[in-house]
Amino acid sequence: LDYRWPQNQGASAFPRESAEICKRLESAISIHQTTSIFLILSAVGLLSFFISQTGGFVAAGIFVVMVALKIWVVAAMGVRLEYTMDQNWKNYANMRMAPFTYMSKCVQVWEVTSSTSHYGQKKKYHAGCGHSINRRKVNVDHGFPFPFKTNVNGYVLNLSGVKFVFLPDCVYAIKGNKCQALPYEQVKWQIGMTSFVESSGAPPDSQVEGYTWQYVNKSGGPDRRFRDNPQFPICRYGELTISFSRMGSVTLQLSGTKMAEGIINLQTRR
């Protein structure tokens, strides 16, 4: 599939071939998943041979065939997206990828999965915080997963069970073997800074604003009634919310204070 900059549509052009691309991606992912299952089953059969000493040649033959089939699927079933871009398109592409470039330079990126509020007296048992969150680490991947093959730079984020593939012209959202293409007009960014009490230690790229304790008294100092009362750093993190039309939103924490400020500057210039 050869992409050329659509001169008559401007920077927001959405690929007309998106439906066809999604069908090809879904087909390749389904075949890949099926061959993976059969490969596992053949490995189990080969293992059972070593245990029972029966049917060894058949099990080994099936396993070799499935390995060869798996290699062929990865090599032949990839969906190649070729972009031919003029300088304007390259500038737009770089602009769209810029937030991810900043994110990829952060030591840690987390997805906020849930939040719990603490009212009244409960705050002093949670480092004086009004709420606590659950989060998981997120990798900002620069390489593309199967079946994507392309000649441009992009990024991949696994968020809330959905794999988002950010390419210059659109975002592909993949869950299981289902794929959906989203125009960038349906992807909204909101970035700000937040103070976060870090119980796991401050990442090296974060700015430490101060310190608190796990158990605090009314004045904010350490509660002397607790013998085991560790001190925690208060870190200045970036807080990035990405909203996807019809797919909800996700909130990310960025450890890199300067990187988050860089994204804020990008948003301001827009």
Side-chain angles (χ1 to χ4, degrees):
L1 298 176
D2 185 24
Y3 281 84
R4 297 184 182 277
W5 172 243
Q7 301 286 349
N8 59 334
Q9 295 189 40
S12 62
F14 183 66
R16 299 186 182 95
E17 302 91 338
S18 60
E20 178 189 352
I21 294 172
C22 285
K23 288 181 180 179
R24 293 192 184 187
L25 291 171
E26 290 174 350
S27 175
I29 292 171
S30 295
I31 294 174
H32 187 263
Q33 290 174 343
T34 301
T35 54
S36 296
I37 293 172
F38 279 106
L39 181 59
I40 293 172
L41 292 176
S42 64
V44 172
L46 186 61
L47 179 62
S48 66
F49 154 69
F50 289 108
I51 297 175
S52 64
Q53 297 297 313
T54 59
F57 290 110
V58 174
I62 294 176
F63 180 75
V64 170
V65 170
M66 292 311 304
V67 170
L69 181 60
K70 181 75 171 179
I71 294 173
W72 178 84
V73 167
V74 172
M77 294 295 294
V79 179
R80 185 161 188 83
L81 307 178
E82 290 286 345
Y83 292 79
T84 303
M85 301 184 290
D86 61 19
Q87 190 56 50
N88 287 333
W89 185 210
K90 290 179 180 179
N91 292 338
Y92 285 123
N94 291 335
M95 179 184 67
R96 284 175 170 171
M97 296 300 113
F100 302 103
T101 302
Y102 281 110
M103 289 171 61
S104 66
K105 295 179 181 178
C106 292
V107 173
Q108 295 287 356
V109 177
W110 300 273
E111 178 187 0
V112 178
T113 56
S114 64
S115 176
T116 304
S117 298
H118 305 298
Y119 297 101
Q121 296 295 315
K122 289 184 178 181
K123 291 177 62 176
K124 66 182 183 180
Y125 300 115
H126 295 85
C129 299
H131 68 278
S132 59
I133 64 172
N134 292 319
R135 61 187 185 176
R136 69 175 190 88
K137 292 182 180 180
V138 173
N139 293 323
V140 184
D141 296 324
H142 195 57
F144 294 104
F146 178 85
F148 287 91
K149 294 182 179 181
T150 182
N151 63 331
V152 295
N153 294 326
Y155 289 90
V156 180
L157 295 178
N158 287 294
L159 305 173
S160 300
V162 181
K163 185 177 295 183
F164 292 95
V165 179
F166 294 85
L167 285 167
D169 52 352
C170 69
V171 182
Y172 291 97
I174 301 173
K175 186 173 184 179
N177 60 356
K178 298 299 181 182
C179 178
Q180 180 180 356
L182 304 173
Y184 274 97
E185 289 75 19
Q186 295 181 10
V187 181
K188 306 299 181 182
W189 301 75
Q190 186 173 357
I191 178 73
M193 305 302 296
T194 185
S195 297
F196 185 80
V197 177
E198 186 57 78
S199 60
S200 301
D205 61 340
S206 66
Q207 175 185 330
V208 177
E209 299 179 320
Y211 292 88
T212 186
W213 291 263
Q214 183 173 355
Y215 305 106
V216 298
N217 55 31
K218 291 182 179 180
S219 63
D223 192 330
R224 303 298 181 184
R225 295 176 300 171
F226 296 90
R227 183 173 300 176
D228 183 16
N229 191 8
Q231 189 180 57
F232 297 143
I234 303 173
C235 299
R236 180 174 170 82
Y237 286 162
E239 190 169 77
L240 173 65
T241 299
I242 309 177
S243 301
F244 302 93
S245 178
R246 300 189 303 275
M247 296 187 68
S249 62
V250 294
T251 298
L252 304 176
Q253 281 189 340
L254 313 179
S255 66
T257 306
K258 291 183 178 180
M259 296 301 104
E261 291 172 347
I263 299 176
I264 291 175
N265 291 334
L266 284 176
Q267 195 171 55
T268 302
R269 290 201 298 268
R270 292 179 185 179

